[in-house]
Short mmCIF file of all heavy atoms in Angstrom, two decimals:
data_model
loop_
_atom_site.label_atom_id
_atom_site.label_comp_id
_atom_site.label_asym_id
_atom_site.label_seq_id
_atom_site.Cartn_x
_atom_site.Cartn_y
_atom_site.Cartn_z
N MET A 1 0.82 -1.19 0.00
CA MET A 1 0.00 0.00 0.00
C MET A 1 0.86 1.26 0.00
O MET A 1 0.55 2.22 -0.68
CB MET A 1 -0.95 -0.04 1.21
CG MET A 1 -1.95 1.06 1.22
SD MET A 1 -3.04 0.90 -0.19
CE MET A 1 -4.49 1.58 0.42
N ASN A 2 1.95 1.23 0.76
CA ASN A 2 2.85 2.38 0.82
C ASN A 2 3.49 2.62 -0.55
O ASN A 2 3.68 3.76 -0.96
CB ASN A 2 3.92 2.16 1.89
CG ASN A 2 4.65 3.45 2.21
OD1 ASN A 2 4.16 4.53 1.92
ND2 ASN A 2 5.79 3.32 2.83
N ASN A 3 3.85 1.55 -1.25
CA ASN A 3 4.43 1.65 -2.58
C ASN A 3 3.43 2.28 -3.56
O ASN A 3 3.81 3.09 -4.40
CB ASN A 3 4.88 0.27 -3.07
CG ASN A 3 5.73 0.36 -4.31
OD1 ASN A 3 6.34 1.39 -4.58
ND2 ASN A 3 5.76 -0.71 -5.07
N PHE A 4 2.17 1.92 -3.45
CA PHE A 4 1.13 2.48 -4.31
C PHE A 4 1.00 3.99 -4.09
O PHE A 4 0.86 4.76 -5.04
CB PHE A 4 -0.21 1.78 -4.04
CG PHE A 4 -1.35 2.36 -4.83
CD1 PHE A 4 -1.45 2.10 -6.19
CD2 PHE A 4 -2.29 3.17 -4.22
CE1 PHE A 4 -2.49 2.63 -6.93
CE2 PHE A 4 -3.33 3.71 -4.96
CZ PHE A 4 -3.43 3.44 -6.31
N LYS A 5 1.05 4.43 -2.83
CA LYS A 5 0.97 5.85 -2.53
C LYS A 5 2.15 6.60 -3.12
O LYS A 5 1.99 7.70 -3.65
CB LYS A 5 0.90 6.07 -1.01
CG LYS A 5 -0.45 5.71 -0.42
CD LYS A 5 -0.44 5.77 1.09
CE LYS A 5 -0.41 7.18 1.60
NZ LYS A 5 -0.55 7.25 3.06
N ASN A 6 3.35 6.02 -3.04
CA ASN A 6 4.53 6.67 -3.60
C ASN A 6 4.42 6.80 -5.12
O ASN A 6 4.77 7.83 -5.68
CB ASN A 6 5.79 5.89 -3.25
CG ASN A 6 6.15 6.01 -1.79
OD1 ASN A 6 5.70 6.93 -1.11
ND2 ASN A 6 6.94 5.08 -1.30
N VAL A 7 3.92 5.77 -5.76
CA VAL A 7 3.73 5.83 -7.21
C VAL A 7 2.68 6.87 -7.56
O VAL A 7 2.84 7.64 -8.52
CB VAL A 7 3.35 4.44 -7.77
CG1 VAL A 7 2.92 4.52 -9.22
CG2 VAL A 7 4.49 3.45 -7.61
N LEU A 8 1.63 6.95 -6.80
CA LEU A 8 0.59 7.93 -7.03
C LEU A 8 1.12 9.35 -6.86
O LEU A 8 0.84 10.23 -7.67
CB LEU A 8 -0.59 7.68 -6.09
CG LEU A 8 -1.81 8.57 -6.30
CD1 LEU A 8 -2.40 8.34 -7.69
CD2 LEU A 8 -2.86 8.28 -5.24
N TYR A 9 1.92 9.58 -5.82
CA TYR A 9 2.53 10.90 -5.61
C TYR A 9 3.47 11.25 -6.76
O TYR A 9 3.48 12.38 -7.25
CB TYR A 9 3.32 10.94 -4.30
CG TYR A 9 2.45 10.94 -3.06
CD1 TYR A 9 2.83 10.22 -1.93
CD2 TYR A 9 1.26 11.65 -3.01
CE1 TYR A 9 2.05 10.22 -0.80
CE2 TYR A 9 0.48 11.66 -1.87
CZ TYR A 9 0.88 10.94 -0.77
OH TYR A 9 0.11 10.95 0.35
N LEU A 10 4.25 10.29 -7.22
CA LEU A 10 5.16 10.53 -8.33
C LEU A 10 4.41 10.89 -9.60
O LEU A 10 4.76 11.84 -10.30
CB LEU A 10 6.05 9.31 -8.56
CG LEU A 10 7.03 9.40 -9.72
CD1 LEU A 10 8.03 10.51 -9.48
CD2 LEU A 10 7.73 8.08 -9.93
N LEU A 11 3.36 10.15 -9.91
CA LEU A 11 2.57 10.44 -11.11
C LEU A 11 1.90 11.80 -11.01
O LEU A 11 1.85 12.54 -11.99
CB LEU A 11 1.53 9.35 -11.32
CG LEU A 11 2.06 8.01 -11.81
CD1 LEU A 11 0.94 6.98 -11.87
CD2 LEU A 11 2.72 8.14 -13.16
N THR A 12 1.40 12.14 -9.84
CA THR A 12 0.78 13.45 -9.64
C THR A 12 1.81 14.55 -9.86
O THR A 12 1.53 15.55 -10.53
CB THR A 12 0.19 13.55 -8.23
OG1 THR A 12 -0.74 12.48 -8.04
CG2 THR A 12 -0.50 14.88 -8.03
N PHE A 13 3.00 14.38 -9.32
CA PHE A 13 4.05 15.37 -9.50
C PHE A 13 4.40 15.54 -10.97
O PHE A 13 4.53 16.66 -11.48
CB PHE A 13 5.30 14.98 -8.71
CG PHE A 13 6.48 15.85 -9.00
CD1 PHE A 13 6.58 17.10 -8.42
CD2 PHE A 13 7.48 15.43 -9.86
CE1 PHE A 13 7.66 17.92 -8.70
CE2 PHE A 13 8.56 16.23 -10.15
CZ PHE A 13 8.65 17.48 -9.57
N VAL A 14 4.56 14.44 -11.69
CA VAL A 14 4.92 14.50 -13.11
C VAL A 14 3.84 15.22 -13.91
O VAL A 14 4.15 16.06 -14.76
CB VAL A 14 5.19 13.08 -13.66
CG1 VAL A 14 5.31 13.09 -15.17
CG2 VAL A 14 6.43 12.48 -13.02
N VAL A 15 2.58 14.92 -13.64
CA VAL A 15 1.49 15.55 -14.37
C VAL A 15 1.45 17.05 -14.09
O VAL A 15 1.35 17.87 -15.01
CB VAL A 15 0.14 14.88 -14.02
CG1 VAL A 15 -1.03 15.70 -14.56
CG2 VAL A 15 0.10 13.47 -14.56
N VAL A 16 1.55 17.44 -12.82
CA VAL A 16 1.51 18.86 -12.46
C VAL A 16 2.72 19.59 -13.04
O VAL A 16 2.59 20.68 -13.60
CB VAL A 16 1.42 19.03 -10.93
CG1 VAL A 16 1.60 20.48 -10.52
CG2 VAL A 16 0.09 18.50 -10.42
N PHE A 17 3.90 19.01 -12.93
CA PHE A 17 5.10 19.64 -13.46
C PHE A 17 4.99 19.81 -14.97
O PHE A 17 5.35 20.86 -15.52
CB PHE A 17 6.33 18.81 -13.11
CG PHE A 17 7.60 19.38 -13.63
CD1 PHE A 17 8.21 20.43 -12.97
CD2 PHE A 17 8.18 18.89 -14.78
CE1 PHE A 17 9.38 20.98 -13.45
CE2 PHE A 17 9.35 19.43 -15.27
CZ PHE A 17 9.95 20.47 -14.61
N SER A 18 4.49 18.81 -15.66
CA SER A 18 4.33 18.90 -17.12
C SER A 18 3.34 19.99 -17.49
O SER A 18 3.55 20.74 -18.44
CB SER A 18 3.86 17.56 -17.69
OG SER A 18 4.81 16.56 -17.43
N TYR A 19 2.25 20.06 -16.75
CA TYR A 19 1.23 21.07 -17.02
C TYR A 19 1.79 22.48 -16.84
O TYR A 19 1.49 23.38 -17.61
CB TYR A 19 0.03 20.85 -16.09
CG TYR A 19 -1.10 21.82 -16.31
CD1 TYR A 19 -1.94 21.69 -17.41
CD2 TYR A 19 -1.32 22.87 -15.42
CE1 TYR A 19 -2.97 22.59 -17.61
CE2 TYR A 19 -2.34 23.76 -15.63
CZ TYR A 19 -3.17 23.62 -16.72
OH TYR A 19 -4.18 24.50 -16.91
N ILE A 20 2.62 22.68 -15.82
CA ILE A 20 3.17 23.99 -15.55
C ILE A 20 4.29 24.36 -16.53
O ILE A 20 4.38 25.49 -16.99
CB ILE A 20 3.68 24.07 -14.09
CG1 ILE A 20 2.50 23.99 -13.13
CG2 ILE A 20 4.49 25.33 -13.85
CD1 ILE A 20 2.89 23.83 -11.68
N SER A 21 5.14 23.42 -16.87
CA SER A 21 6.33 23.73 -17.67
C SER A 21 6.08 23.71 -19.18
O SER A 21 6.83 24.32 -19.92
CB SER A 21 7.45 22.76 -17.34
OG SER A 21 7.09 21.44 -17.67
N THR A 22 5.05 23.06 -19.66
CA THR A 22 4.82 22.96 -21.10
C THR A 22 4.64 24.32 -21.79
O THR A 22 5.23 24.54 -22.84
CB THR A 22 3.62 22.04 -21.39
OG1 THR A 22 3.90 20.75 -20.85
CG2 THR A 22 3.35 21.93 -22.88
N PRO A 23 3.87 25.27 -21.24
CA PRO A 23 3.75 26.56 -21.94
C PRO A 23 5.09 27.27 -22.13
O PRO A 23 5.29 27.93 -23.13
CB PRO A 23 2.82 27.37 -21.04
CG PRO A 23 2.06 26.35 -20.28
CD PRO A 23 2.99 25.20 -20.09
N TYR A 24 6.01 27.12 -21.19
CA TYR A 24 7.31 27.77 -21.33
C TYR A 24 8.11 27.13 -22.46
O TYR A 24 8.83 27.81 -23.18
CB TYR A 24 8.11 27.67 -20.03
CG TYR A 24 7.48 28.44 -18.90
CD1 TYR A 24 6.88 27.78 -17.84
CD2 TYR A 24 7.47 29.82 -18.89
CE1 TYR A 24 6.27 28.46 -16.82
CE2 TYR A 24 6.87 30.53 -17.89
CZ TYR A 24 6.28 29.86 -16.84
OH TYR A 24 5.69 30.55 -15.84
N LEU A 25 7.99 25.84 -22.61
CA LEU A 25 8.73 25.16 -23.67
C LEU A 25 8.13 25.44 -25.03
O LEU A 25 8.86 25.61 -26.01
CB LEU A 25 8.74 23.65 -23.40
CG LEU A 25 9.42 23.21 -22.11
CD1 LEU A 25 9.23 21.72 -21.91
CD2 LEU A 25 10.89 23.56 -22.15
N ILE A 26 6.82 25.50 -25.13
CA ILE A 26 6.16 25.73 -26.41
C ILE A 26 6.37 27.17 -26.88
O ILE A 26 6.65 27.41 -28.05
CB ILE A 26 4.66 25.41 -26.31
CG1 ILE A 26 4.48 23.91 -26.11
CG2 ILE A 26 3.91 25.89 -27.54
CD1 ILE A 26 3.06 23.50 -25.83
N ASN A 27 6.26 28.13 -25.98
CA ASN A 27 6.36 29.55 -26.34
C ASN A 27 7.77 30.07 -26.32
O ASN A 27 7.99 31.26 -26.45
CB ASN A 27 5.48 30.39 -25.41
CG ASN A 27 4.02 30.06 -25.58
OD1 ASN A 27 3.60 29.72 -26.67
ND2 ASN A 27 3.26 30.16 -24.52
N ASN A 28 8.75 29.21 -26.16
CA ASN A 28 10.14 29.64 -26.07
C ASN A 28 10.65 30.19 -27.40
O ASN A 28 11.64 30.90 -27.43
CB ASN A 28 11.02 28.48 -25.61
CG ASN A 28 12.33 28.94 -25.05
OD1 ASN A 28 12.48 30.09 -24.66
ND2 ASN A 28 13.28 28.05 -24.99
N ASN A 29 9.99 29.89 -28.51
CA ASN A 29 10.44 30.33 -29.81
C ASN A 29 9.85 31.68 -30.22
O ASN A 29 9.94 32.06 -31.38
CB ASN A 29 10.08 29.28 -30.87
CG ASN A 29 10.83 28.00 -30.64
OD1 ASN A 29 11.94 28.01 -30.13
ND2 ASN A 29 10.23 26.89 -31.03
N GLN A 30 9.24 32.39 -29.30
CA GLN A 30 8.65 33.69 -29.58
C GLN A 30 9.74 34.66 -30.02
O GLN A 30 10.74 34.83 -29.33
CB GLN A 30 7.96 34.23 -28.31
CG GLN A 30 7.27 35.55 -28.48
CD GLN A 30 5.97 35.41 -29.24
OE1 GLN A 30 5.35 34.37 -29.17
NE2 GLN A 30 5.58 36.42 -29.94
N GLN A 31 9.55 35.30 -31.16
CA GLN A 31 10.54 36.25 -31.65
C GLN A 31 10.20 37.63 -31.15
O GLN A 31 9.04 38.02 -31.08
CB GLN A 31 10.58 36.23 -33.17
CG GLN A 31 11.11 34.94 -33.74
CD GLN A 31 11.22 35.00 -35.24
OE1 GLN A 31 10.87 35.99 -35.86
NE2 GLN A 31 11.73 33.94 -35.82
N VAL A 32 11.23 38.40 -30.83
CA VAL A 32 11.07 39.74 -30.31
C VAL A 32 11.73 40.70 -31.28
O VAL A 32 12.86 40.49 -31.72
CB VAL A 32 11.73 39.86 -28.91
CG1 VAL A 32 11.61 41.27 -28.38
CG2 VAL A 32 11.10 38.86 -27.96
N ALA A 33 11.03 41.76 -31.64
CA ALA A 33 11.59 42.77 -32.55
C ALA A 33 12.65 43.57 -31.81
O ALA A 33 12.50 43.92 -30.65
CB ALA A 33 10.48 43.68 -33.04
N VAL A 34 13.74 43.86 -32.51
CA VAL A 34 14.82 44.65 -31.93
C VAL A 34 14.76 46.04 -32.53
O VAL A 34 14.97 46.23 -33.73
CB VAL A 34 16.19 43.99 -32.20
CG1 VAL A 34 17.30 44.84 -31.64
CG2 VAL A 34 16.22 42.59 -31.63
N SER A 35 14.47 47.02 -31.69
CA SER A 35 14.42 48.42 -32.11
C SER A 35 14.40 49.27 -30.86
O SER A 35 14.56 48.77 -29.75
CB SER A 35 13.20 48.69 -32.98
OG SER A 35 12.04 48.58 -32.20
N ASN A 36 14.20 50.55 -31.05
CA ASN A 36 14.11 51.46 -29.91
C ASN A 36 12.88 51.12 -29.07
O ASN A 36 12.90 51.20 -27.86
CB ASN A 36 14.06 52.90 -30.41
CG ASN A 36 14.53 53.87 -29.37
OD1 ASN A 36 15.06 53.46 -28.35
ND2 ASN A 36 14.34 55.14 -29.61
N GLU A 37 11.81 50.75 -29.75
CA GLU A 37 10.61 50.29 -29.07
C GLU A 37 10.47 48.80 -29.32
O GLU A 37 10.63 48.33 -30.43
CB GLU A 37 9.39 51.01 -29.60
CG GLU A 37 9.36 52.48 -29.26
CD GLU A 37 8.06 53.13 -29.75
OE1 GLU A 37 7.10 52.40 -30.03
OE2 GLU A 37 8.05 54.34 -29.84
N THR A 38 10.18 48.08 -28.26
CA THR A 38 10.05 46.63 -28.39
C THR A 38 8.57 46.27 -28.45
O THR A 38 7.77 46.77 -27.68
CB THR A 38 10.69 45.93 -27.18
OG1 THR A 38 12.05 46.33 -27.11
CG2 THR A 38 10.63 44.43 -27.30
N SER A 39 8.23 45.41 -29.38
CA SER A 39 6.86 44.93 -29.45
C SER A 39 6.85 43.46 -29.07
O SER A 39 7.83 42.74 -29.24
CB SER A 39 6.28 45.13 -30.84
OG SER A 39 7.00 44.36 -31.78
N TYR A 40 5.73 43.04 -28.54
CA TYR A 40 5.58 41.66 -28.09
C TYR A 40 4.14 41.25 -28.28
O TYR A 40 3.23 41.98 -27.90
CB TYR A 40 5.99 41.53 -26.62
CG TYR A 40 5.77 40.16 -26.05
CD1 TYR A 40 6.69 39.15 -26.28
CD2 TYR A 40 4.64 39.86 -25.31
CE1 TYR A 40 6.49 37.88 -25.76
CE2 TYR A 40 4.44 38.60 -24.80
CZ TYR A 40 5.36 37.62 -25.03
OH TYR A 40 5.16 36.36 -24.53
N LYS A 41 3.92 40.09 -28.87
CA LYS A 41 2.57 39.58 -29.05
C LYS A 41 2.22 38.73 -27.83
O LYS A 41 2.84 37.71 -27.56
CB LYS A 41 2.48 38.73 -30.32
CG LYS A 41 1.08 38.24 -30.59
CD LYS A 41 1.02 37.47 -31.88
CE LYS A 41 -0.39 36.96 -32.12
NZ LYS A 41 -0.46 36.17 -33.35
N VAL A 42 1.21 39.16 -27.10
CA VAL A 42 0.79 38.47 -25.89
C VAL A 42 0.03 37.21 -26.27
O VAL A 42 -0.84 37.23 -27.14
CB VAL A 42 -0.09 39.38 -25.02
CG1 VAL A 42 -0.57 38.66 -23.78
CG2 VAL A 42 0.66 40.64 -24.64
N VAL A 43 0.40 36.11 -25.64
CA VAL A 43 -0.28 34.84 -25.87
C VAL A 43 -1.00 34.44 -24.59
O VAL A 43 -0.68 34.92 -23.50
CB VAL A 43 0.71 33.73 -26.31
CG1 VAL A 43 1.29 34.03 -27.67
CG2 VAL A 43 1.80 33.52 -25.30
N LYS A 44 -1.98 33.56 -24.74
CA LYS A 44 -2.77 33.13 -23.60
C LYS A 44 -1.87 32.55 -22.52
O LYS A 44 -0.99 31.73 -22.79
CB LYS A 44 -3.78 32.07 -24.05
CG LYS A 44 -4.74 31.66 -22.97
CD LYS A 44 -5.76 30.67 -23.49
CE LYS A 44 -6.74 30.30 -22.39
NZ LYS A 44 -7.76 29.38 -22.89
N GLY A 45 -2.06 32.99 -21.30
CA GLY A 45 -1.28 32.51 -20.17
C GLY A 45 -0.13 33.43 -19.80
O GLY A 45 0.52 33.23 -18.78
N ASP A 46 0.16 34.44 -20.62
CA ASP A 46 1.24 35.37 -20.30
C ASP A 46 0.83 36.30 -19.17
O ASP A 46 -0.33 36.65 -19.01
CB ASP A 46 1.58 36.22 -21.52
CG ASP A 46 2.54 35.55 -22.46
OD1 ASP A 46 3.08 34.49 -22.13
OD2 ASP A 46 2.77 36.11 -23.54
N ASN A 47 1.81 36.69 -18.39
CA ASN A 47 1.63 37.75 -17.41
C ASN A 47 2.88 38.62 -17.49
O ASN A 47 3.79 38.34 -18.26
CB ASN A 47 1.38 37.20 -16.00
CG ASN A 47 2.51 36.35 -15.49
OD1 ASN A 47 3.68 36.67 -15.65
ND2 ASN A 47 2.16 35.24 -14.84
N LEU A 48 2.92 39.71 -16.73
CA LEU A 48 4.03 40.65 -16.86
C LEU A 48 5.37 40.03 -16.50
O LEU A 48 6.39 40.35 -17.09
CB LEU A 48 3.76 41.90 -16.01
CG LEU A 48 2.57 42.73 -16.46
CD1 LEU A 48 2.36 43.91 -15.53
CD2 LEU A 48 2.74 43.20 -17.89
N TRP A 49 5.38 39.13 -15.53
CA TRP A 49 6.63 38.47 -15.15
C TRP A 49 7.15 37.61 -16.30
O TRP A 49 8.34 37.62 -16.61
CB TRP A 49 6.43 37.61 -13.90
CG TRP A 49 6.35 38.42 -12.66
CD1 TRP A 49 5.23 38.84 -12.04
CD2 TRP A 49 7.45 38.94 -11.90
NE1 TRP A 49 5.54 39.58 -10.93
CE2 TRP A 49 6.90 39.66 -10.81
CE3 TRP A 49 8.82 38.87 -12.02
CZ2 TRP A 49 7.69 40.30 -9.88
CZ3 TRP A 49 9.61 39.50 -11.07
CH2 TRP A 49 9.03 40.20 -10.02
N ILE A 50 6.27 36.85 -16.94
CA ILE A 50 6.68 35.98 -18.04
C ILE A 50 7.16 36.81 -19.22
O ILE A 50 8.18 36.49 -19.85
CB ILE A 50 5.52 35.06 -18.45
CG1 ILE A 50 5.22 34.06 -17.32
CG2 ILE A 50 5.83 34.32 -19.74
CD1 ILE A 50 3.99 33.22 -17.55
N ILE A 51 6.45 37.90 -19.52
CA ILE A 51 6.86 38.76 -20.64
C ILE A 51 8.23 39.36 -20.36
O ILE A 51 9.09 39.39 -21.23
CB ILE A 51 5.81 39.85 -20.89
CG1 ILE A 51 4.51 39.21 -21.38
CG2 ILE A 51 6.32 40.88 -21.89
CD1 ILE A 51 3.34 40.15 -21.45
N GLY A 52 8.46 39.84 -19.15
CA GLY A 52 9.77 40.39 -18.80
C GLY A 52 10.87 39.35 -18.93
O GLY A 52 11.96 39.63 -19.42
N TYR A 53 10.58 38.13 -18.53
CA TYR A 53 11.56 37.04 -18.64
C TYR A 53 11.86 36.74 -20.11
O TYR A 53 13.01 36.57 -20.49
CB TYR A 53 11.03 35.79 -17.94
CG TYR A 53 11.94 34.61 -18.03
CD1 TYR A 53 13.09 34.53 -17.25
CD2 TYR A 53 11.68 33.58 -18.93
CE1 TYR A 53 13.94 33.44 -17.35
CE2 TYR A 53 12.52 32.49 -19.03
CZ TYR A 53 13.65 32.43 -18.24
OH TYR A 53 14.49 31.35 -18.36
N LYS A 54 10.81 36.68 -20.94
CA LYS A 54 11.01 36.39 -22.36
C LYS A 54 11.77 37.50 -23.07
O LYS A 54 12.47 37.26 -24.05
CB LYS A 54 9.66 36.17 -23.05
CG LYS A 54 9.01 34.86 -22.69
CD LYS A 54 7.70 34.70 -23.42
CE LYS A 54 7.02 33.40 -23.05
NZ LYS A 54 5.71 33.27 -23.74
N LEU A 55 11.64 38.74 -22.58
CA LEU A 55 12.35 39.86 -23.19
C LEU A 55 13.74 40.05 -22.58
O LEU A 55 14.42 41.04 -22.87
CB LEU A 55 11.53 41.15 -23.03
CG LEU A 55 10.20 41.17 -23.78
CD1 LEU A 55 9.42 42.44 -23.45
CD2 LEU A 55 10.42 41.06 -25.28
N ASN A 56 14.17 39.13 -21.72
CA ASN A 56 15.49 39.17 -21.08
C ASN A 56 15.72 40.46 -20.30
O ASN A 56 16.78 41.07 -20.38
CB ASN A 56 16.61 38.96 -22.11
CG ASN A 56 16.55 37.59 -22.73
OD1 ASN A 56 16.24 36.61 -22.07
ND2 ASN A 56 16.84 37.53 -24.02
N VAL A 57 14.70 40.89 -19.56
CA VAL A 57 14.81 42.10 -18.74
C VAL A 57 15.64 41.77 -17.51
O VAL A 57 15.44 40.74 -16.87
CB VAL A 57 13.39 42.58 -18.34
CG1 VAL A 57 13.48 43.75 -17.38
CG2 VAL A 57 12.59 42.93 -19.57
N ASP A 58 16.61 42.65 -17.20
CA ASP A 58 17.47 42.41 -16.05
C ASP A 58 16.72 42.54 -14.73
O ASP A 58 16.88 41.73 -13.83
CB ASP A 58 18.66 43.37 -16.05
CG ASP A 58 19.60 43.10 -17.22
OD1 ASP A 58 19.71 41.93 -17.64
OD2 ASP A 58 20.22 44.07 -17.70
N ASN A 59 15.93 43.59 -14.59
CA ASN A 59 15.19 43.83 -13.35
C ASN A 59 13.70 43.83 -13.70
O ASN A 59 13.15 44.84 -14.14
CB ASN A 59 15.61 45.16 -12.73
CG ASN A 59 15.04 45.35 -11.35
OD1 ASN A 59 14.02 44.77 -11.01
ND2 ASN A 59 15.71 46.16 -10.55
N ILE A 60 13.05 42.71 -13.48
CA ILE A 60 11.65 42.56 -13.89
C ILE A 60 10.74 43.46 -13.06
O ILE A 60 9.75 43.98 -13.56
CB ILE A 60 11.22 41.08 -13.81
CG1 ILE A 60 12.03 40.27 -14.83
CG2 ILE A 60 9.74 40.92 -14.08
CD1 ILE A 60 11.75 38.80 -14.83
N SER A 61 11.08 43.70 -11.79
CA SER A 61 10.26 44.58 -10.96
C SER A 61 10.21 45.99 -11.53
O SER A 61 9.14 46.60 -11.62
CB SER A 61 10.80 44.63 -9.53
OG SER A 61 10.72 43.36 -8.94
N LYS A 62 11.35 46.53 -11.93
CA LYS A 62 11.39 47.87 -12.55
C LYS A 62 10.65 47.87 -13.88
O LYS A 62 9.97 48.83 -14.23
CB LYS A 62 12.83 48.32 -12.77
CG LYS A 62 13.52 48.76 -11.51
CD LYS A 62 14.90 49.31 -11.83
CE LYS A 62 15.61 49.76 -10.58
NZ LYS A 62 16.95 50.28 -10.87
N PHE A 63 10.80 46.80 -14.63
CA PHE A 63 10.10 46.66 -15.92
C PHE A 63 8.59 46.75 -15.71
O PHE A 63 7.89 47.47 -16.43
CB PHE A 63 10.49 45.33 -16.55
CG PHE A 63 9.70 44.93 -17.75
CD1 PHE A 63 9.89 45.53 -18.97
CD2 PHE A 63 8.76 43.92 -17.66
CE1 PHE A 63 9.15 45.17 -20.08
CE2 PHE A 63 8.02 43.53 -18.76
CZ PHE A 63 8.20 44.16 -19.97
N ILE A 64 8.07 46.05 -14.72
CA ILE A 64 6.63 46.05 -14.46
C ILE A 64 6.17 47.43 -13.99
O ILE A 64 5.14 47.93 -14.45
CB ILE A 64 6.27 44.96 -13.44
CG1 ILE A 64 6.48 43.58 -14.07
CG2 ILE A 64 4.84 45.11 -12.95
CD1 ILE A 64 6.32 42.43 -13.11
N LEU A 65 6.94 48.07 -13.12
CA LEU A 65 6.57 49.42 -12.65
C LEU A 65 6.55 50.41 -13.81
O LEU A 65 5.66 51.26 -13.90
CB LEU A 65 7.53 49.89 -11.56
CG LEU A 65 7.41 49.17 -10.21
CD1 LEU A 65 8.51 49.61 -9.27
CD2 LEU A 65 6.04 49.42 -9.61
N ARG A 66 7.53 50.29 -14.72
CA ARG A 66 7.59 51.19 -15.88
C ARG A 66 6.39 50.95 -16.80
O ARG A 66 5.81 51.90 -17.33
CB ARG A 66 8.90 50.96 -16.63
CG ARG A 66 9.22 52.05 -17.61
CD ARG A 66 10.64 51.93 -18.16
NE ARG A 66 10.70 50.79 -19.07
CZ ARG A 66 11.63 49.83 -19.02
NH1 ARG A 66 12.59 49.89 -18.13
NH2 ARG A 66 11.61 48.84 -19.86
N LEU A 67 5.98 49.70 -16.97
CA LEU A 67 4.81 49.40 -17.80
C LEU A 67 3.53 49.97 -17.17
O LEU A 67 2.65 50.47 -17.88
CB LEU A 67 4.65 47.91 -17.99
CG LEU A 67 5.60 47.24 -18.96
CD1 LEU A 67 5.37 45.74 -18.97
CD2 LEU A 67 5.42 47.79 -20.35
N LYS A 68 3.43 49.87 -15.86
CA LYS A 68 2.22 50.35 -15.19
C LYS A 68 2.08 51.87 -15.31
O LYS A 68 0.98 52.39 -15.34
CB LYS A 68 2.23 49.94 -13.73
CG LYS A 68 1.95 48.47 -13.53
CD LYS A 68 1.93 48.12 -12.06
CE LYS A 68 1.59 46.66 -11.85
NZ LYS A 68 1.55 46.32 -10.42
N LYS A 69 3.23 52.58 -15.38
CA LYS A 69 3.18 54.04 -15.53
C LYS A 69 2.68 54.39 -16.90
O LYS A 69 2.02 55.30 -17.18
CB LYS A 69 4.56 54.65 -15.32
CG LYS A 69 4.98 54.67 -13.88
CD LYS A 69 6.31 55.35 -13.75
CE LYS A 69 6.77 55.35 -12.31
NZ LYS A 69 8.06 56.00 -12.15
#
């Protein structure tokens, strides 16, 4: 019974991890325009933290505050 619980926990972890990490792997090929102004096409599931990460922003907190202004 203990072995069954461990297998169940492992399968649950794999499913949850796959569900969370798949959008990052699929959207990793997003191209970003290089210019004075940067444009980005928002896809379902994006938030400001993810967009900042995809744009290789050094300080994401400042990036978000600047966007909010």
Side-chain angles (χ1 to χ4, degrees):
M1 187 64 150
N2 194 19
N3 191 23
F4 177 74
K5 286 173 73 174
N6 289 340
V7 170
L8 185 62
Y9 289 141
L10 178 63
L11 288 175
T12 304
F13 172 79
V14 169
V15 169
V16 171
F17 179 79
S18 298
Y19 181 76
I20 292 171
S21 63
T22 300
Y24 295 109
L25 298 174
I26 292 173
N27 295 328
N28 200 19
N29 295 330
Q30 182 75 29
Q31 293 184 358
V32 178
V34 178
S35 68
N36 204 9
E37 292 183 17
T38 303
S39 63
Y40 176 81
K41 183 177 179 182
V42 178
V43 294
K44 186 177 182 179
D46 276 352
N47 60 43
L48 295 178
W49 284 96
I50 293 173
I51 294 170
Y53 178 76
K54 288 181 180 178
L55 295 175
N56 295 323
V57 175
D58 293 329
N59 189 335
I60 296 178
S61 297
K62 285 185 180 179
F63 170 75
I64 292 173
L65 290 174
R66 195 170 71 230
L67 284 176
K68 287 182 178 181
K69 286 183 181 180

